[in-house]
Amino acid sequence: MEPWFKPIADHALLVCFSDTHSAESHAMVVALDRAIAETPPFGMIETVPALVNLLVSFDVTVTDHDSVEDHLRALLKDVHPGEIEGQVRRLQVCYESPFAPDLQAVANAAGLSHEAVIAAHLAGQYDVLMYGFSLGYAYLSGIPEEIRIPRKPTPVRDVPAGSVIIAGPQCLVTTLTMPTGWSIIGRSPTRILTGDSEHPFLFDVGDRVTFERIDLATFESAQKEADHD
């Protein structure tokens, strides 16, 4: 897959692998991001991986677009996405009614029972595609076809942190209290914001996430433990 390069600011270069999202293009994004982490170009400040492209920002006082591009092109000669494996991260989720106000609507739209919706969600294979929109918001691919429900027409305010939400093929666990138009089907006590400045989020782009069902008592116990950490 041949990338193209776009200078989008005096301090940033965008590496594009496709115009549309695919498993292949995203695998190249992740592979290049990992390669850069091992061998960064001189003057690099950070990388921001997304669905089909990777942003590389740099210090304009010590390098430029051409130098960064040359370095990345050299790295790409040895990038093999099939060899990249992320970490598997497990998130607990409680699907009981206080935390799942849209579970019935999802079940109705899908023509399934509550338990069938939960089973489908637990069976999904979720890959971390990118971070965006808000602090720690990791967009996860992998919602099974049978529960791919469109966004709601009107967002809901004050959705609590930890809410497990779905829309179309994607899933997300909120980290802040804020509005959303996605369907809320559960809540997780698992802390995504780590408080570690070097690794501020629980998982990286390219990692895989699995969900583990817990009951209300287990959720409350886990939440208390997390609050005291």
Side-chain angles (χ1 to χ4, degrees):
M1 179 174 287
E2 187 68 25
W4 62 96
F5 297 80
K6 294 181 180 179
I8 61 169
D10 61 351
H11 65 282
L13 182 68
L14 192 67
V15 188
C16 306
F17 291 97
S18 178
D19 291 321
T20 57
H21 175 244
S22 67
E24 182 183 11
S25 61
H26 191 256
M28 286 298 298
V29 169
V30 173
L32 179 57
D33 191 43
R34 301 287 170 84
I36 292 172
E38 293 291 330
T39 312
F42 177 69
M44 188 191 79
I45 296 173
E46 67 172 347
T47 60
V48 183
L51 297 182
V52 300
N53 50 45
L54 178 74
L55 180 70
V56 181
S57 64
F58 53 85
D59 182 349
V60 296
T61 66
V62 298
T63 190
D64 55 29
H65 294 98
D66 290 341
S67 298
V68 172
E69 180 176 335
D70 288 345
H71 184 94
L72 299 183
R73 286 189 181 277
L75 287 181
L76 282 164
K77 293 177 182 178
D78 294 316
V79 164
H80 305 289
E83 299 176 1
I84 302 298
E85 290 188 11
Q87 298 290 319
V88 177
R89 307 293 186 180
R90 183 174 296 274
L91 268 64
Q92 294 179 317
V93 56
C94 179
Y95 298 98
E96 297 193 28
S97 57
F99 304 142
D102 296 321
L103 188 58
Q104 181 64 57
V106 172
N108 291 344
L112 299 171
S113 67
H114 280 196
E115 286 300 316
V117 171
I118 293 169
H121 184 253
L122 289 170
Q125 298 291 319
Y126 301 98
D127 294 317
V128 182
L129 295 180
M130 60 177 286
Y131 281 94
F133 184 68
S134 188
L135 183 67
Y137 267 43
Y139 288 83
L140 313 177
S141 67
I143 288 291
E145 290 279 356
E146 59 265 37
I147 58 169
R148 292 188 178 183
I149 306 301
R151 288 170 56 97
K152 293 181 285 190
T154 304
V156 176
R157 293 179 179 272
D158 299 326
V159 175
S163 294
V164 178
I165 60 179
I166 62 174
Q170 294 185 327
C171 179
L172 191 149
V173 181
T174 64
T175 56
L176 303 171
T177 298
M178 60 192 310
T180 185
W182 294 27
S183 295
I184 308 161
I185 64 168
R187 194 176 301 172
S188 174
T190 306
R191 180 176 293 174
I192 295 174
L193 303 180
T194 65
D196 182 345
S197 60
E198 293 295 321
H199 297 91
F201 308 133
L202 177 62
F203 25 69
D204 295 322
V205 172
D207 285 352
R208 173 155 289 186
V209 173
T210 62
F211 288 95
E212 174 190 359
R213 186 178 187 177
I214 59 174
D215 59 21
L216 185 57
T218 303
F219 174 90
E220 291 174 344
S221 175
Q223 188 71 66
K224 288 180 181 177
E225 183 177 340
D227 290 342
H228 284 94
D229 285 346

